[in-house]
Amino acid sequence: MTEPARALTEVREKIAHAAKLARREPSDIELVAISKTNPAEAILPLIAAGQRVFGESRVQEAQTKWPPLLEAHGELSLHLVGQLQSNKAEEAARLFDCINSLDRSSLVAALARAFDKAGRQVSCFVQVDIGEETQKGGCPIAEVPALLAEARGADIPVIGLMCVPPHGVEPAPYFALLAKIAADNGLAKLSMGMSGDYETAVMLGATHVRVGSALFGARG
Ligand SMILES: *Cc1c(COP(=O)(O)O)cnc(C)c1O
């Protein structure tokens, strides 16, 4: 096995173990391999090892890297996990299969227009500012119901909530809070958990974990 394939096997095993502890089906958890800053050569071994869902944090980087990979391996799906500027919404709508960072009213309007122009609706997670750290983006907790209502009104397919908890503190309370907000708002999907805490996230209900460095190695 190549090194990335070995890492992939290990992450999958840890997801399955955490799922088992939580009495969940491992197949209910989607591993999104976050390939940002990694070149195509680093991504190919993971595709060869069977990984099909990838994530990028910048529209522009994804636009240069992914079209040839998608062309060659048709069945892949691509998530946007970074902040999205309204003027990039149409490009994002054409390239990505899921947007994890819908976090404000102006972006609801921009995405609605972008989906019309691109002729496709892209599933979205509403990103919640779970640790009240405005610099990371995310909708303030108190404003989530209003943003969801607005997104529904604009026919944006919101499938769940996403968060990035504060760095360096125990993430479990934040994951549990995101799960509660999702349940309160009738949303089934939770995009939470990264390389350092995806097992905890799985135990607290994550349906999508976003794992980068545990698969690709530390980013330079
Ligand atoms: C980079 C990034 C990840 C992956 O982080 P790792 O710690 O490398 O697993 C997940 N989510 C978002 C939003 C990111 O920007």
Side-chain angles (χ1 to χ4, degrees), residues 31 44 48 81 94 99 145 147 151 161 184:
L31 170 61
L44 286 168
V81 301
R94 292 183 193 280
I99 292 170
L147 186 62
L161 300 181
D184 287 349

Side-chain angles (χ1 to χ4, degrees), residues 34 36 57 81-82 162 164 193-196 210-214 219:
I34 306 298
K36 65 186 183 197
S57 62
V81 301
M162 177 272 206
V164 181
M194 316 197 334
S195 289
R210 309 180 309 268
V211 178
S213 47
R219 285 179 295 273

Side-chain angles (χ1 to χ4, degrees), residues 32-36 38 55-57 80-83 100-101 127 136 162-164 191 193-198 209-219:
V32 184
I34 306 298
S35 51
K36 65 186 183 197
N38 286 285
E56 289 283 338
S57 62
L80 177 66
V81 301
Q83 287 185 40
N100 284 229
S101 46
Q127 181 176 350
K136 273 190 187 160
M162 177 272 206
C163 76
V164 181
S191 171
M194 316 197 334
S195 289
D197 53 23
Y198 63 90
V209 292
R210 309 180 309 268
V211 178
S213 47
L215 294 171
F216 291 98
R219 285 179 295 273

Side-chain angles (χ1 to χ4, degrees), residues 102 108 112 124 126 145-158:
L102 172 54
V108 167
C124 294
V126 162
L147 186 62
L148 288 172
E150 215 173 316
R152 286 188 189 115
D155 279 335
I156 306 251
V158 174

Side-chain angles (χ1 to χ4, degrees), residues 124-143:
C124 294
F125 285 93
V126 162
Q127 181 176 350
V128 180
D129 182 10
I130 204 76
E132 301 181 306
E133 306 172 283
T134 45
Q135 75 280 7
K136 273 190 187 160
C139 175
I141 293 169
E143 293 168 24

